[in-house]
Amino acid sequence: MIAIIDYDAGNIKSVEKALQKLGQDVVITREKEQILAADKVILPGVGAFGDAMKNLNEYGLVEVIHQVVEKRIPFLGICLGLQLLFEKSDESEGVKGLGILKGEVCRIPDQEGFKIPHMGWNSLHLQNDGRLFRGIEEDAYVYFVHSYYLKAKEEQIVKATTEYGAHIHASVGMDNVFACQFHPEKSSDVGLRILKNFVELS
């Protein structure tokens, strides 16, 4: 069973649908016992970093997410869910992220020819043998919607990058924690393969 954490940050139904397409049992929940009993846990999300952290704190989910990581349950952050795993974001000064991984989230710089938010398909450069990307070809295209991007502190956790007005760390993985800045659930067959790779992690 896969638990999708519900903390009022949107984008849950499309993730649920993609997982059901892969034949998975899915529960959308903020119940601690359900989350900790799951085989896999997903933190999706769109919206503002500060609002999201406020909701996670109010629902008592910060501690639960840390417990998931400690129990070594495979965990996937998507879009805002990736950003929240890190220490801080330019979007919400003074708000602490979950701090599970080291790094910061920066605003995509204003540049001629680059619209912000970045919305659309970009190709991935794969590196460091990411387990989510088994069977995925170099330069595969995935779908992004974001105005802020990750700069991870440790290069070895970065599994995929892309370029859009900045060098963007598009996916990370460390131990049982995985995350994508792009939306695998909206990234056609490539995205489904990435989700399938996550589902099949032992």
Side-chain angles (χ1 to χ4, degrees):
M1 191 264 291
I2 297 177
I4 299 176
I5 296 177
D6 176 12
Y7 61 113
D8 298 335
N11 197 44
I12 282 179
K13 283 291 174 196
S14 51
V15 177
E16 180 189 35
K17 234 182 230 168
L19 291 166
Q20 287 170 341
K21 199 171 178 179
L22 293 170
Q24 298 303 303
D25 291 328
V26 185
V27 61
I28 294 170
T29 184
R30 60 177 67 121
E31 297 298 325
K32 176 181 177 176
E33 288 73 20
Q34 268 188 320
I35 293 167
L36 292 175
D39 301 309
K40 309 272 188 314
V41 177
I42 297 179
L43 182 71
V46 291
F49 187 94
D51 293 342
M53 282 309 303
K54 179 170 169 281
N55 290 357
L56 288 175
N57 278 299
E58 279 182 4
Y59 291 132
L61 290 167
V62 170
E63 185 194 343
V64 178
I65 291 167
H66 280 276
Q67 286 177 299
V68 167
V69 173
E70 282 158 23
K71 282 183 74 177
R72 302 187 75 77
I73 299 167
F75 181 93
L76 176 65
I78 296 174
C79 194
L80 182 58
L82 165 138
Q83 296 179 6
L84 295 169
L85 287 169
F86 288 83
E87 294 163 301
K88 59 182 181 176
S89 171
D90 286 352
E91 186 174 20
S92 306
E93 290 292 331
V95 176
K96 278 185 179 174
L98 292 165
I100 288 165
L101 300 173
K102 288 185 173 15
E104 59 184 341
V105 176
C106 307
R107 190 172 193 280
I108 297 171
D110 290 310
Q111 268 184 57
E112 203 174 324
F114 290 92
K115 285 185 180 167
I116 300 172
H118 168 209
M119 293 177 72
W121 296 82
N122 264 55
S123 61
L124 294 176
H125 164 63
L126 306 179
Q127 62 187 51
N128 296 327
D129 196 24
R131 292 161 73 195
L132 291 186
F133 298 99
R134 286 184 183 152
I136 304 287
E137 290 183 8
E138 178 70 12
D139 295 326
Y141 277 82
V142 291
Y143 190 75
F144 289 84
V145 184
H146 63 125
S147 304
Y148 294 82
Y149 73 99
L150 168 64
K151 278 205 302 207
K153 195 170 181 183
E154 295 153 340
E155 187 68 27
Q156 68 269 25
I157 74 166
V158 179
K159 306 303 181 183
T161 64
T162 195
E163 305 294 326
Y164 189 85
H167 180 62
I168 292 167
H169 291 163
S171 183
V172 294
M174 189 176 84
D175 300 327
N176 59 313
V177 178
F178 304 85
C180 303
Q181 178 62 66
F182 56 88
H183 288 272
E185 78 284 2
K186 295 177 180 173
S187 296
S188 195
D189 292 345
V190 170
L192 276 179
R193 178 60 198 254
I194 290 167
L195 288 173
K196 187 170 188 285
N197 285 342
F198 175 69
V199 161
E200 290 174 352
L201 290 170
S202 54

